[in-house]
């Protein structure tokens, strides 16, 4: 562990620490008199000392819309001369969501990413090949500064240039790989094509997009790693909010700095342990942009109890989807990750796929574009499995190997919408043929 005292703290000690830090956060928000402070006063909260940890579910929540409405610095609670960095989301759903950091925030972020790398077995003397993108996106720089804080060496490759990535792994012999899960697949397949030796790798820390257990199996089939999940989002701090250890039984949430809840997305009521719900985070130790009960939109479940690794932090499941990513196809509600699970568990299809929501005519239909091992015969069986396991009627299109777009930079685009014009993937309008 990077910080055994914090990561293996007793539940009672951690709860006391959380309550103390929550009360301090409330006092800071009230003093700042921003949107969060005003909402607290409207809820009858006048000072932090009056709030217990058990009172958290009754406190007001914060949303991405609040950040957009206050763009770019309206929710910052420190003087502008204390801002040391600005990061943010990619803006794939509109304008970027910008987040400010003080120097202390950057130190905290580095420590959280160091914890994540230690979960993967990294330590001083490790070499981390970092293929997350650098820039406004938090992935690359977050992992980079985490590796430095841990005492490891880091290779700042960023994304793309796959041939060079493989050469560097083969030559430098890193033990840790960090990138998106989709790019991990691409690296493994590209290495196999040229016969590159990637045997030095022991673990991979893959995040920035939801991925399934079946995707883990696919990654571990093409790379000599234990594939581990990492979770974070710019608004909360970036990667390092939670990370999976080598036990691979859930992501450890760093609860001393991120108080986590799950709520019913519709009612806002708390979810029971083990029940999937929307993740909500409170950031009691952040300085520049502290958030009270921030609704992430991500769906996961929480499980308590110690892990075999010795950590006592609550564990969250893999993210199964986003509230706003749910597809409604002919009356069936489904997350893309559920389709991925069925496809990859079947053994009939390669790990690359794309879901096409066809809205050109009344009655939305779903086309599952994939690369089956047996062409049309596999397509029919995959369509049957989707109906049987998740109740989804979809058209499964068999495409030749390599036809589904591979990700080189950034996050994989798993869902595209077809409103008019040319199909998003060449060949979707042609008759089905065996591949």
């Amino acid at each position: 562990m990077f910080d055994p005292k914090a990561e293996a703290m007793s539940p009672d000690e951690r709860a006391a620490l959380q309550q103390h830090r929550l009360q301090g956060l409330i006092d800071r928000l009230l003093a700042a008199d921003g949107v969060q402070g005003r909402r607290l006063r409207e809820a009858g909260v006048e000072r932090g000392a009056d709030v217990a940890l058990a009172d958290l579910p009754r406190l007001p929540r914060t949303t991405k819309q609040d950040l957009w409405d206050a763009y770019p610095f309206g929710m910052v609670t420190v003087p502008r001369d204390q801002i040391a960095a600005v990061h943010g989301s990619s803006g794939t759903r509109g304008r970027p969501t910008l987040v400010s950091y003080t120097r202390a925030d950057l130190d905290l972020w580095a420590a959280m990413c160091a914890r994540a790398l230690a979960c993967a077995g990294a330590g001083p003397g490790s070499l981390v090949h970092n293929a997350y993108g650098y820039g406004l996106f938090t992935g690359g720089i977050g992992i980079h500064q985490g590796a430095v804080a841990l005492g490891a060496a880091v290779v700042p490759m960023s994304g793309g240039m796959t041939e060079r990535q493989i050469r560097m792994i083969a030559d430098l012999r890193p033990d840790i790989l960090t990138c998106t899960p989709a790019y991990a697949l691409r690296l493994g397949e590209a290495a196999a094509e040229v016969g590159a030796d990637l045997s030095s790798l022991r673990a991979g820390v893959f995040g920035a997009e939801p991925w399934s257990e079946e995707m883990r199996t696919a990654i571990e089939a093409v790379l000599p790693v234990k594939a581990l999940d990492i979770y974070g989002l710019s608004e909360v701090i970036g990667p390092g909010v939670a990370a999976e250890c080598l036990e691979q039984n859930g992501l450890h949430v760093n609860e001393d700095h991120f108080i986590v809840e799950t709520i019913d997305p519709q009612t806002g009521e708390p979810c029971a342990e083990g029940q999937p719900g929307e993740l909500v985070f409170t950031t009691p130790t952040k300085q520049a942009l502290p958030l009270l009960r921030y609704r992430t939109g991500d769906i996961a479940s929480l499980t308590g109890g110690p892990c075999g690794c010795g950590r006592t932090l609550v564990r969250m499941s893999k993210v199964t989807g986003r509230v706003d990513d749910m597809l409604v196809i002919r009356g069936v509600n489904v997350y893309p990750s559920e389709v991925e699970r069925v496809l990859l568990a079947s053994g009939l299809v390669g790990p690359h796929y794309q879901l096409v929501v066809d809205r050109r005519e009344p009655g939305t239909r779903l086309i599952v574009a994939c690369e089956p091992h047996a062409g049309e015969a596999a397509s029919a069986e995959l369509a049957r499995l989707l109906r049987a396991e998740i109740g989804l009627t979809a058209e499964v299109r068999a495409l030749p190997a390599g036809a589904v777009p591979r990700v080189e930079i950034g996050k994989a685009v798993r869902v595209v919408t077809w409103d008019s014009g040319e199909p998003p993937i060449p060949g979707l309008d042609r008759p089905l043929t065996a591949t």
Side-chain angles (χ1 to χ4, degrees):
M1 301 181 201
F2 178 71
D3 187 351
K5 182 178 179 181
E7 296 174 69
M9 190 180 293
S10 73
D12 289 345
E13 186 181 3
R14 182 174 293 115
L17 177 64
Q18 288 178 326
Q19 176 162 306
H20 173 72
R21 288 179 168 176
L22 174 63
Q23 291 172 341
L25 169 65
I26 290 171
D27 285 335
R28 285 190 289 130
L29 293 176
L30 289 169
D33 197 31
V35 62
Q36 296 184 90
R38 291 192 292 271
R39 285 177 183 165
L40 282 167
R41 286 196 172 89
E42 290 168 1
V45 178
E46 294 295 336
R47 59 176 191 161
D50 295 334
V51 178
L53 186 61
D55 296 326
L56 187 61
R58 72 175 179 85
L59 298 180
R61 294 186 292 264
T62 313
T63 67
K64 187 183 287 283
Q65 188 63 51
D66 294 320
L67 296 173
W68 285 342
D69 291 344
Y71 180 92
F73 296 115
M75 288 182 69
V76 170
T77 60
V78 298
R80 288 282 294 276
D81 61 3
Q82 292 184 24
I83 295 176
V86 176
H87 284 278
S89 68
S90 59
T92 53
R93 296 179 182 278
R95 78 181 92 172
T97 304
L98 295 184
V99 180
S100 298
Y101 297 74
T102 65
R103 288 185 179 275
D105 291 334
L106 293 177
D107 290 342
L108 170 62
W109 185 18
M112 298 302 97
C113 288
R115 288 188 191 185
L117 291 168
C119 274
S126 288
L127 182 59
V128 178
H129 182 99
N130 187 16
Y132 283 113
Y134 283 64
L136 196 62
F137 171 61
T138 54
I141 292 178
I143 293 295
H144 185 118
Q145 59 194 12
V148 173
L150 183 63
V154 59
V155 183
M157 287 299 300
S158 193
M161 301 180 294
T162 298
E163 182 178 346
R164 181 179 292 183
Q165 300 259 8
I166 293 169
R167 176 64 181 267
M168 289 294 97
I169 296 173
D171 289 353
L172 297 178
R173 310 289 293 167
D175 51 321
I176 305 293
L177 171 66
T178 59
C179 61
T180 66
Y183 195 52
L185 275 176
R186 172 73 183 126
L187 285 173
E189 292 174 347
E193 291 169 4
V194 298
D197 179 9
L198 308 188
S199 61
S200 65
L201 295 173
R202 294 189 292 107
V205 180
F206 308 129
E209 58 194 36
W211 54 293
S212 64
E213 288 296 328
E214 289 72 22
M215 181 65 80
R216 189 202 304 275
T217 300
I219 292 171
E220 291 182 347
V222 297
L223 287 172
V225 300
K226 271 204 167 188
L228 307 175
D229 205 348
I230 183 172
Y231 175 80
L233 60 165
S234 301
E235 303 94 300
V236 176
I237 204 166
V241 174
E244 202 169 24
C245 71
L246 294 169
E247 298 288 328
Q248 296 178 309
N249 63 352
L251 291 82
H252 297 283
V253 181
N254 289 310
E255 297 178 89
D256 48 330
H257 296 285
F258 312 110
I259 304 174
V260 63
E261 310 166 69
T262 48
I263 64 171
D264 183 296
Q266 276 70 52
T267 68
E269 291 300 309
C271 293
E273 181 172 322
Q275 177 186 350
E278 182 180 357
L279 292 169
V280 175
F281 283 98
T282 296
T283 63
T285 58
K286 280 183 62 182
Q287 293 185 348
L289 189 66
L291 294 175
L292 179 66
R293 304 195 71 210
Y294 181 74
R295 295 188 63 161
T296 66
D298 293 325
I299 302 297
S301 59
L302 299 174
T303 304
C307 176
C309 70
R311 293 173 178 86
T312 57
L313 300 162
V314 70
R315 298 189 305 280
M316 60 174 270
S317 69
K318 283 181 168 293
V319 172
T320 58
R322 287 188 51 79
V323 173
D324 49 5
D325 276 350
M326 179 179 283
L327 304 176
V328 182
I329 307 297
R330 298 172 185 172
V332 176
N333 297 348
V334 63
Y335 289 113
S337 60
E338 296 178 89
V339 179
E340 176 181 288
R341 176 181 59 80
V342 174
L343 292 178
L344 301 192
S346 72
L348 300 172
V349 64
H352 301 284
Y353 69 93
Q354 198 164 62
L355 310 183
V356 181
V357 180
D358 185 358
R359 294 177 176 162
R360 293 175 302 165
E361 298 178 2
T364 300
R365 64 174 182 150
L366 181 68
I367 302 172
V368 180
C370 55
E371 300 172 6
H373 301 314
E376 288 184 51
S379 297
E381 176 61 11
L382 288 167
R384 186 194 70 77
L385 288 171
L386 288 168
R387 285 194 302 272
E389 297 195 24
I390 56 178
L392 179 67
T393 299
E395 300 176 28
V396 180
R397 294 296 183 97
L399 298 180
V404 176
R406 270 52 169 171
V407 62
E408 292 283 341
I409 298 176
K411 303 178 184 181
V413 178
R414 296 299 190 193
V415 182
V416 295
T417 301
W418 189 1
D419 291 312
S420 62
E422 295 298 318
I425 301 176
L428 287 189
D429 256 0
R430 292 198 290 270
L432 294 178
T433 56
T435 59

